[in-house]
Amino acid sequence: MHPANQAHAGTVAGAARPLGRGSLIAWVRRRPGTARVPIATKLTLSYLLVITISTIAFSVIGTHLIGQQIVSEAETAVRNDLNAAREILLGRLDDVNDVVRLTVDRVAVRAALREGNGALAAPELFKIRETERLDFLTLTDATGRVLLRTSNPAAAGDVRTDELLSAVRASKAAAAAVMIMPAEDLRRESPELARRAYLRFIDTPKARPRRETEETAGMVIEAAAPILGDRRQVLGVLYGGLLLNRDFSIVDKIKRTVFRDVKYNGQDIGTATIMLDDVRIATNVLTRDGSRAIGTRVAEDVYEQVVGQGKPWVGRAFVVNNWYITAYEPIRSITGQIVGILYVGVLEQKYVDVRRRTVAALLGLTLAGGLVAMALSYHMSRRISGTIMRLVSASKDMALGNLDVQVRINTNDELEDLAEAFNTMASSLRRREELVKEYARSRIMESERLAITGQLAAGIAHELNNPLQGIVTYSHLLLERQPADGPMRASLQKIVNQAERCREIVRGLLDFSRPRTPQMKLTSVNALIQECLALVERQALFHNIQITTAFQKDLPPSLLDPSLMQQVFMNIIMNAAEAMDGHGQLTVVTRLDASQNFIEIEFTDTGHGIRPEDMERIFDPFFTTKAPGHGTGLGLAISQGIVQKHRGTISVSSQVGQGTTFVIRLPMTTEGDV
């Protein structure tokens, strides 16, 4: 029997045999070195993995969201606290403004201006300053010359002016603002005010670098009102106010009003501060020794945003020696210049502890839920695995050859569907087993017939080889006796060539069942193709076929077996002619590919093409689309084998009704490569 037919018959016959005990053992045997893990355990571990990943993911995300929400709530609260602190500061400013504005209408004040003698208003102004608890209350004439300082009566006669007084004289209306009063002006108002205003800087973590080491100016709440004559001319100005340096009344009021003096772990939960530039001049933030942090300075990043950019700061910030959720905003003078910062803050530790407790509760609930889910998953996996084990047992019975096995499961789910499918499969296998046995018997008989036919063909080819050898020998003798210009020499040469070709065809048929090693030599591919075309161009099949060639002229010779490769070319050419039914165009192209490593030979016909369902089988032995008796299906199979022996490739592309293209790629080899 031919080897190919033997393998084919063995495959079909094997399909009909039931699975033996040895195969069953191989089927159920575990891989060496691997432990058997029950499906219930796998399901439980899978559930546990999902639960663990979900728990971790939800915990991380939940913790992050909780932290964000708590911080967001804290920032919203401290922003509202800052609004309240601003209103308290503005309320104190309005109080001072009302005192000064109402005082200018007193008779004694107008009399003092008319006489140019501030002493006339001294008793009344002294009383007002004491009653209203102002740090200074001063009367000037229209030019700004001081007529009376109630906080320092001996200092008079100098000219006092600043942006607030200039604005009041220009607008002829009362005004109030937070202002910076230089040390000299403070000293004139009262030496005590100058002493209160003086601060030495205290080194503060995260503060910006400064050359200065002390502050001598004072931040004041200042109000001024004009004293107008009958024709609304400015007769003079009365101004007064409070020095904020070391005045804790406002910041403590903010703490009492906004934070209600609540403490957390022994510390004030809320703090407030008024700063001159970046220096704390009034605060209830405490240092480590329990004193007020007067002279400490704000962090550099806060200063850059609030004073440098004029934008509020809301967020986490380091204040003196602790972290707070803070809100800062700039304090502006009458001209809009930023002169200081108003601050409120809530101790961050409270929110950290709230977040920690909330996260701990969340993790506890998540862990408890995970444990409950794991217990439920274990119970469910045990139920599922029991059902699956019944299916496994039935599968083993089927593998042993028992095709009558049936599985009954009433779970009303996919497992019940699987059991029904299993039962249907068992029934189908019983019916198909008989069909396969019958088909196998018929295919074995067909394979035996093909094998015998192949053996006969090989024998006939062997018998033909002997007379062909004689024809070749005598044709060579006749050719040698002909003179070079003899009239019969060309015909004898064709006889020699055709006899050689017949011998090679017979050898190819024998090679298909007994492959031989190609006899390689350097050969011109163009010349070899031209010889093939010369052999067929006068045949009747090619009379109405136009053959077009496009050979690359500088194509180098390639190392190949001319006889075998001529057989490949002739096979493709003849197939093309038959596909065109003797009418059409055959185009043959040779070239070097882009990498210069392969020679490409392309055959393109205009025939009926190859159907898509046949494309994958055209190189299979004995596959043919020709009518019975017109082809064996060996041509392309032999051609593919020859090309592969040359370390090349053969490919095909086709469109039904338009034609087919075969491309052969042969490597650029030299004798040294073999």
Side-chain angles (χ1 to χ4, degrees):
M1 182 183 292
H2 193 280
N5 293 333
Q6 289 177 345
H8 180 68
T11 301
V12 175
R17 291 194 299 269
L19 193 63
R21 184 171 182 81
S23 300
L24 173 64
I25 294 173
W27 181 67
V28 300
R29 182 180 297 152
R30 297 190 299 273
R31 291 191 300 272
T34 60
R36 179 181 175 86
V37 181
I39 192 169
T41 303
K42 291 182 178 179
L43 288 173
T44 303
L45 292 176
S46 300
Y47 293 147
L48 180 60
L49 178 62
V50 172
I51 293 169
T52 302
I53 293 175
S54 301
T55 301
I56 294 174
F58 291 153
S59 299
V60 172
I61 296 172
T63 301
H64 179 69
L65 292 178
I66 289 172
Q68 277 192 331
Q69 186 64 29
I70 291 176
V71 171
S72 177
E73 291 293 334
E75 290 178 352
T76 301
V78 79
R79 190 180 287 110
N80 294 332
D81 296 340
L82 181 63
N83 293 336
R86 185 193 317 113
E87 292 303 319
I88 292 174
L89 178 62
L90 294 178
R92 190 70 179 105
L93 187 64
D94 290 340
D95 291 342
V96 174
N97 187 35
D98 290 340
V99 171
V100 174
R101 181 173 52 81
L102 295 175
T103 303
V104 297
D105 293 331
R106 295 178 181 266
V107 175
V109 174
R110 290 182 176 275
L113 285 174
R114 282 196 304 270
E115 298 296 331
N117 184 3
L120 298 176
E124 196 162 354
L125 292 181
F126 282 148
K127 182 179 180 181
I128 292 172
R129 186 179 71 82
E130 292 294 334
T131 303
E132 300 298 336
R133 297 182 180 180
L134 299 179
D135 288 326
F136 58 91
L137 184 62
T138 302
L139 180 64
T140 70
D141 63 13
T143 64
R145 185 171 62 87
V146 176
L147 299 178
L148 174 66
R149 282 191 172 92
T150 60
S151 54
N152 188 10
D158 59 296
V159 177
R160 171 79 166 89
T161 184
D162 61 15
E163 291 89 348
L164 179 63
L165 299 180
S166 298
V168 168
R169 292 190 189 97
S171 65
K172 300 179 182 181
V178 176
M179 302 295 294
I180 301 300
M181 187 174 288
E184 186 60 31
D185 288 347
L186 285 171
R187 194 172 293 108
R188 289 194 185 98
E189 295 295 338
S190 170
E192 176 61 27
L193 295 181
R195 285 192 295 273
R196 271 181 52 193
Y198 178 79
L199 296 171
R200 289 194 64 82
F201 295 166
I202 297 175
D203 289 338
T204 309
K206 301 183 181 297
R208 69 188 178 100
R210 284 187 69 176
R211 295 180 180 178
E212 301 87 355
T213 61
E214 59 185 17
E215 180 62 71
T216 59
M219 177 180 285
V220 296
I221 292 177
E222 185 177 5
I227 304 163
L228 303 178
D230 297 336
R231 290 174 295 181
R232 292 192 56 78
Q233 75 277 21
V234 177
L235 302 177
V237 175
L238 179 68
Y239 69 88
L242 299 170
L243 176 64
L244 295 178
N245 296 42
R246 290 193 170 89
D247 183 354
F248 308 121
S249 59
I250 294 177
V251 294
D252 287 347
K253 183 178 180 180
I254 293 172
K255 188 177 74 167
R256 289 192 304 272
T257 304
V258 176
F259 304 110
R260 301 183 181 182
D261 286 331
V262 175
K263 291 184 178 293
Y264 185 79
N265 292 338
Q267 297 183 2
D268 289 325
I269 195 169
T271 55
T273 299
I274 296 174
M275 303 175 206
L276 192 163
D277 193 39
D278 68 344
V279 182
R280 293 179 176 86
I281 60 172
T283 182
N284 41 46
V285 176
L286 302 181
T287 60
R288 295 190 184 277
D289 60 8
S291 61
R292 294 181 185 258
I294 300 299
T296 59
R297 297 164 53 222
V298 74
E300 182 176 10
D301 53 348
V302 176
Y303 179 85
E304 291 297 330
Q305 180 167 320
V306 178
V307 178
Q309 303 177 27
K311 299 177 180 179
W313 169 290
V314 178
R316 184 172 183 261
F318 189 80
V319 180
V320 182
N321 54 29
N322 215 331
W323 286 98
Y324 286 77
I325 305 297
T326 63
Y328 297 81
E329 71 176 18
I331 299 175
R332 300 179 185 272
S333 67
I334 189 70
T335 60
Q337 179 184 358
I338 298 175
V339 295
I341 301 173
L342 177 63
Y343 149 89
V344 293
V346 180
L347 199 63
E348 184 192 46
Q349 188 61 43
K350 172 188 174 182
Y351 294 99
V352 171
D353 292 343
V354 170
R355 181 175 62 182
R356 186 181 297 116
R357 288 192 295 268
T358 305
V359 169
L362 173 65
L363 292 178
L365 291 173
T366 304
L367 181 60
L371 293 175
V372 172
M374 187 170 64
L376 292 175
S377 66
Y378 177 77
H379 177 68
M380 294 172 59
S381 63
R382 296 297 299 177
R383 291 187 60 186
I384 294 173
S385 64
T387 304
I388 294 176
M389 287 305 299
R390 293 173 60 188
L391 286 169
V392 171
S393 177
S395 300
K396 291 180 179 179
D397 289 343
M398 181 182 291
L400 291 171
N402 180 14
L403 299 181
D404 296 322
V405 64
Q406 295 285 301
V407 180
R408 302 299 177 191
I409 296 175
N410 297 315
T411 57
N412 197 28
D413 56 16
E414 288 82 356
L415 288 175
E416 184 176 343
D417 296 338
L418 179 60
E420 292 296 329
F422 179 86
N423 295 334
T424 303
M425 178 183 67
S427 301
S428 299
L429 285 176
R430 284 197 304 273
R431 295 191 298 270
R432 193 166 300 177
E433 184 181 31
E434 296 300 324
L435 295 175
V436 169
K437 288 180 179 179
E438 182 62 30
Y439 176 77
R441 283 193 291 268
S442 63
R443 292 300 295 172
I444 290 171
M445 294 175 62
E446 179 68 16
S447 298
E448 292 290 346
R449 187 181 66 81
L450 290 175
I452 293 172
T453 302
Q455 289 178 342
L456 289 174
I460 293 171
H462 182 73
E463 293 298 326
L464 287 176
N465 195 42
N466 293 328
L468 279 175
Q469 185 64 35
I471 294 173
V472 170
T473 302
Y474 286 110
S475 61
H476 273 288
L477 291 174
L478 290 174
L479 184 62
E480 289 175 359
R481 294 175 182 177
Q482 287 292 320
D485 55 350
M488 298 296 293
R489 187 173 183 84
S491 298
L492 287 173
Q493 183 64 54
K494 288 184 179 181
I495 292 172
V496 170
N497 292 340
Q498 292 303 312
E500 290 283 357
R501 179 169 171 264
C502 289
R503 185 174 64 178
E504 293 301 327
I505 291 173
V506 170
R507 184 183 299 171
L509 185 59
L510 293 173
D511 287 344
F512 187 75
S513 58
R514 186 181 64 255
R516 68 177 179 87
T517 303
Q519 304 299 315
M520 300 295 206
K521 63 180 179 179
L522 287 174
T523 306
S524 171
V525 173
N526 289 344
L528 191 62
I529 297 174
Q530 196 63 55
E531 289 180 10
C532 294
L533 295 176
L535 291 175
V536 301
E537 62 185 359
R538 294 183 181 179
Q539 295 184 19
L541 184 60
F542 287 84
H543 286 173
N544 295 318
I545 294 177
Q546 180 183 357
I547 299 177
T548 304
T549 60
F551 296 160
Q552 183 170 329
K553 294 183 179 179
D554 58 347
L555 197 67
S558 181
L559 197 63
L560 51 82
D561 186 321
S563 298
L564 291 179
M565 198 54 63
Q566 188 179 45
Q567 181 179 350
V568 174
F569 296 157
M570 288 296 295
N571 185 275
I572 295 176
I573 292 171
M574 294 302 296
N575 283 348
E578 293 174 357
M580 293 185 288
D581 296 328
H583 295 80
Q585 181 175 350
L586 174 63
T587 303
V588 185
V589 179
T590 62
R591 59 177 174 265
L592 284 176
D593 73 338
S595 65
Q596 302 287 309
N597 293 326
F598 286 88
I599 294 176
E600 293 185 346
I601 306 102
E602 182 178 283
F603 298 87
T604 303
D605 64 58
T606 58
H608 50 67
I610 303 172
R611 295 179 301 176
E613 58 268 25
D614 295 334
M615 286 290 289
E616 295 183 357
R617 302 181 59 197
I618 59 172
F619 293 109
D620 292 346
F622 304 108
F623 174 77
T624 180
T625 58
K626 299 176 183 178
H630 291 79
T632 63
L634 291 173
L636 288 177
I638 294 174
S639 298
Q640 185 184 49
I642 293 172
V643 172
Q644 289 175 346
K645 287 179 182 178
H646 286 74
R647 294 181 294 172
T649 61
I650 180 171
S651 59
V652 60
S653 60
S654 180
Q655 290 187 353
V656 176
Q658 298 186 18
T660 302
T661 298
F662 282 87
V663 178
I664 299 172
R665 301 181 83 236
L666 300 175
M668 284 288 297
T669 55
T670 62
E671 292 184 358
D673 296 328
V674 179

